[in-house]
Amino acid sequence: MLVLGIESSCDETGVAVVESMGALTPVLLAHALHSQIEMHQAYGGVVPELASRDHIRRVLPLAGQVLRESGKSLDQIDVVAYTRGPGLAGALLVGAGVACALGAALDKPVLGVHHLEGHLLSPFLSADPPQFPFVALLVSGGHTQLMRVDGVGRYQMLGETIDDAAGEAFDKSAKLMGLGYPGGPALSRLAQQGRGDAYKLPRPLLHSGDLDFSFAGLKTAVMTQAKKIALAQGAPVEAWPLALRADLAASTEAAIVDVLVKKTMMALQATGLERVVVAGGVGANRLLRQQLDTACARRHIRVHYPELHLCTDNGAMIAMAAAMRLQSGVQRATAVYAFDVKPRWPLAELSECMDPGSSPG
Ligand code: KG4
Ligand code: ZN
């Protein structure tokens, strides 16, 4: 079965073709991506209207490209999948509209995919895919969640952020440091030249006894620290010596990573599971990978990451999630082409999702 997947929830247009055969893990045949980062950079963040218009421009050429690269023709596609939510409404509508139009024109069924489930299952695109069950740390621009994952569509929320997401903490702190958009990778690059223990920043909810996160206070602490330094330097952040900026960046990164790693280890302990999957844009963070690898190696726990280039948004994870949902039988593709999108869509609403209290069996 061939699945064409389209991602357009935010600032990347992604298209991919995945093939699934029997019970084997589906295989990625080709994927293509257009990032809008350069376009939004001038505005310091994503401009939704511009994002939608750019998705319209890119999606069909990218679809043509992946079909050529996979050696498949449009009429060989069995299912057209698209990101139904969460994300920017206008941007989602582009992918949903194109997918449903393609489905209707080809007389093939369509399937709307949850963006976070795409991230969650993206490590299955790697050469060494994980096995169920596992603990998932989902860290993206809008979400920070720890989940117990027993199978496709069998997700039990263990903890999540009560305010900002980890990616947001990176992005907002980066903005305070004059690093532009997207802040996470830029802050992380700068941090490599600094000392993570230079400034004492809070580790919110580290000792809360549960698996929830909170990053809003950290952002405020970074702002307070930045103001102090600016006062002492008599200059705005852009004019500080590189070492100072790097120290603040490294201390911020250390605080975020510290909380993510410790809470993930707590989740592993609480569930008794011996496998962890990290997914979402922040999963590309070098320090997070290093520290989690070290902590897990000590306890003989396997860690799986998506390949680096598949950590941030892409079409491959959407095609993969669709293929895995179909393969496992938790969802069927339908020939209903009247689409809607879900800009806000908690993962817990997925049909097979379990209540936190229910047994994972
Ligand atoms: O998963 P993603 O591509 O989009 C969402 O679904 O939100 O994640 C984007 C987030 C942004 O906040 C970005 O700054 C962050 O992931 N990010 C990173 C790194 N690469 C991307 N944060 C820290 N270090 C990185 N290397
Ligand atoms: Zn994402």
Side-chain angles (χ1 to χ4, degrees):
M1 181 186 59
L2 287 177
V3 180
L4 180 78
I6 299 174
E7 154 64 28
S8 70
S9 66
C10 189
D11 56 354
E12 329 267 357
T13 322
V15 185
V17 179
V18 158
E19 183 166 32
S20 86
M21 276 180 290
L24 297 175
T25 305
V27 179
L28 178 64
L29 298 188
H31 87 108
L33 190 72
H34 175 79
S35 171
Q36 304 177 353
I37 283 178
E38 225 171 277
M39 183 180 77
H40 296 295
Q41 237 153 15
Y43 305 93
V46 179
V47 183
E49 176 64 21
L50 294 183
S52 312
R53 290 190 214 168
D54 202 58
H55 287 307
I56 292 173
R57 271 194 293 271
R58 308 288 175 183
V59 66
L60 287 177
L62 289 175
Q65 184 183 334
V66 293
L67 286 169
R68 273 192 307 280
E69 286 172 10
S70 61
K72 304 291 179 188
S73 61
L74 203 45
D75 55 7
Q76 286 178 284
I77 297 295
D78 297 298
V79 175
V80 186
Y82 61 95
T83 306
R84 190 176 173 207
L88 301 169
L92 289 166
L93 282 168
V94 176
V98 168
C100 291
L102 276 177
L106 298 168
D107 203 14
K108 296 289 165 62
V110 294
L111 192 151
V113 172
H114 195 294
H115 180 82
L116 292 181
E117 186 173 46
H119 278 301
L120 192 66
L121 300 177
S122 61
F124 286 90
L125 290 157
S126 64
D128 180 23
Q131 280 174 344
F132 298 113
F134 53 77
V135 164
L137 172 67
L138 199 60
V139 269
S140 71
H143 295 83
T144 302
Q145 301 178 332
L146 275 166
M147 264 170 293
R148 178 189 169 108
V149 177
D150 284 278
V152 179
R154 298 170 66 197
Y155 312 131
Q156 182 182 343
M157 192 68 71
L158 301 172
E160 63 186 324
T161 184
I162 57 169
D163 43 52
D164 288 357
E168 231 172 327
F170 270 109
D171 293 340
K172 289 179 176 172
S173 305
K175 207 166 193 172
L176 288 171
M177 292 176 217
L179 292 174
Y181 150 91
L187 188 147
S188 179
R189 266 193 306 278
L190 180 61
Q192 285 185 45
Q193 303 172 61
R195 296 164 299 150
D197 58 357
Y199 299 104
K200 213 166 170 279
L201 294 171
R203 267 64 172 160
L205 297 193
L206 193 56
H207 303 293
S208 59
D210 58 23
L211 296 170
D212 285 339
F213 301 90
S214 162
F215 289 107
L218 176 63
K219 172 197 63 196
T220 311
V222 174
M223 187 160 63
T224 309
Q225 190 62 57
K227 276 185 185 159
K228 269 192 215 159
I229 303 172
L231 210 63
Q233 290 289 311
V237 63
E238 292 80 6
W240 300 353
L242 177 70
L244 262 187
R245 295 167 66 213
D247 277 352
L248 188 56
S251 304
T252 306
E253 185 180 49
I256 298 171
V257 167
D258 198 22
V259 179
L260 292 177
V261 171
K262 293 213 168 103
K263 291 259 168 168
T264 303
M265 299 318 289
M266 283 164 60
L268 285 159
Q269 198 162 20
T271 55
L273 296 177
E274 293 179 343
R275 198 181 304 272
V276 60
V277 157
V278 182
V282 181
N285 185 267
R286 185 192 47 89
L287 186 71
L288 174 63
R289 288 183 174 225
Q290 265 173 16
Q291 299 213 343
L292 199 59
D293 284 347
T294 308
C296 287
R298 250 185 255 131
R299 294 206 213 160
H300 307 290
I301 283 165
R302 279 289 309 271
V303 196
H304 294 263
Y305 304 96
E307 290 181 30
L308 260 185
H309 68 288
L310 297 177
C311 276
T312 44
D313 296 348
N314 62 81
M317 68 185 199
I318 300 305
M320 186 64 162
M324 290 181 74
R325 284 187 81 76
L326 293 168
Q327 191 182 51
S328 64
V330 295
Q331 191 173 352
R332 286 211 192 126
T334 64
V336 176
Y337 306 115
F339 56 89
D340 65 348
V341 294
K342 288 173 158 262
R344 288 178 191 280
W345 188 10
L347 192 60
E349 274 180 21
L350 283 190
S351 54
E352 294 289 309
C353 219
M354 294 180 291
D355 292 330
S358 72
S359 88

